[in-house]
Amino acid sequence: MEEVAKVSKYELGEMLLEIGSILMVSGANTERIKVTISRIARAFGCESELLITNHALMITLIYQNKHKTFTNVKWVPNMHLNFNLISEISIMSWKIVLEKWSVERVNQELATLNRKPLYPRFLVLTMVALAGASFCRLLGGDFIELLACFVATFAGLFVRQEAMKMKFNFYLCVFFGAATAAIVSGLYFYFNPQLTYIHAFSTSVLFLIPGVPMMNAVADLIDGNILNGITRGVNVLIIAFAIALGLLMGLLIYNF
């Protein structure tokens, strides 16, 4: 493979760590991160050894003379799903190989990708709430339950987002979101005990289900990344426990 122009090992290492961090935060599994980083490193004439943990990346660059010239660690924040960003970085990695991009151009592209606007917050809240209401309807809920689920999901996600902004513990944020959804969905039914409550109650917290971490845990186990798979699996269980505690709080408050 033809190499890109020579570049500082520190610039290259920091760039690769930044790309790995973005992929990890966006929801990529361990194997995809390793493959993407390795592809880019080879375009610059070196091999990469990458160690990925739940909240950190450590990379070592090895050049053709087998001399290890760069080792560094980068802390990775909590997951913030963005599948478009994962896809765009994957496409960018192939452009680096085929078009021989420089580090400066890669950094410019990363800055451009990071500046791309996300969906408006109100739109996200509304669409997620509609999804929850749709699941409620699919499970047999009537119009009142559907409406209750919509409002509860909207409120629960709003509280979770606000808790994240205030930098609460991630699992506490999940608990706050689940408790809010359970309390809001049960408010109308508390004053109308003759109505069915179970459909709105059970579907109002579906927005908290950790689907991507669950799939990544299975994918990591299948790919042989046992430690990451177990770590992510335990993380999923703790999230599920936090959701259950939030639902339990709603049940205890209303004495259902």
Side-chain angles (χ1 to χ4, degrees), residues 181-199:
I183 292 170
V184 172
S185 65
L187 185 61
Y188 180 82
F189 299 95
Y190 178 73
F191 295 103
N192 297 273
Q194 74 279 5
L195 298 177
T196 304
Y197 172 58
I198 185 63
H199 299 109

Side-chain angles (χ1 to χ4, degrees), residues 229-247:
I230 293 174
T231 302
R232 286 175 168 170
V234 171
N235 182 50
V236 169
L237 291 177
I238 298 175
I239 293 173
F241 182 70
I243 295 172
L245 284 181
L247 291 174

Side-chain angles (χ1 to χ4, degrees), residues 91-109:
I91 294 171
M92 182 189 71
S93 70
W94 283 110
K95 289 182 178 179
I96 294 171
V97 174
L98 299 174
E99 300 176 9
K100 312 300 180 290
W101 284 15
S102 64
V103 169
E104 291 75 16
R105 185 174 178 185
V106 175
N107 286 330
Q108 290 174 2
E109 183 68 15

Side-chain angles (χ1 to χ4, degrees), residues 137-151:
R137 180 60 180 165
L138 286 173
L139 292 178
D142 57 20
F143 179 77
I144 296 298
E145 285 186 290
L146 187 149
L147 184 61
C149 182
F150 177 88
V151 176

Side-chain angles (χ1 to χ4, degrees), residues 7 24 51 76 89 98 106 110 136 152 158 212 214 238 252 255:
V7 65
M24 192 168 176
L51 176 63
V76 179
I89 289 180
L98 299 174
V106 175
L110 287 176
C136 180
F158 179 84
V212 173
M214 196 181 303
I238 298 175
L252 292 177
N255 195 26

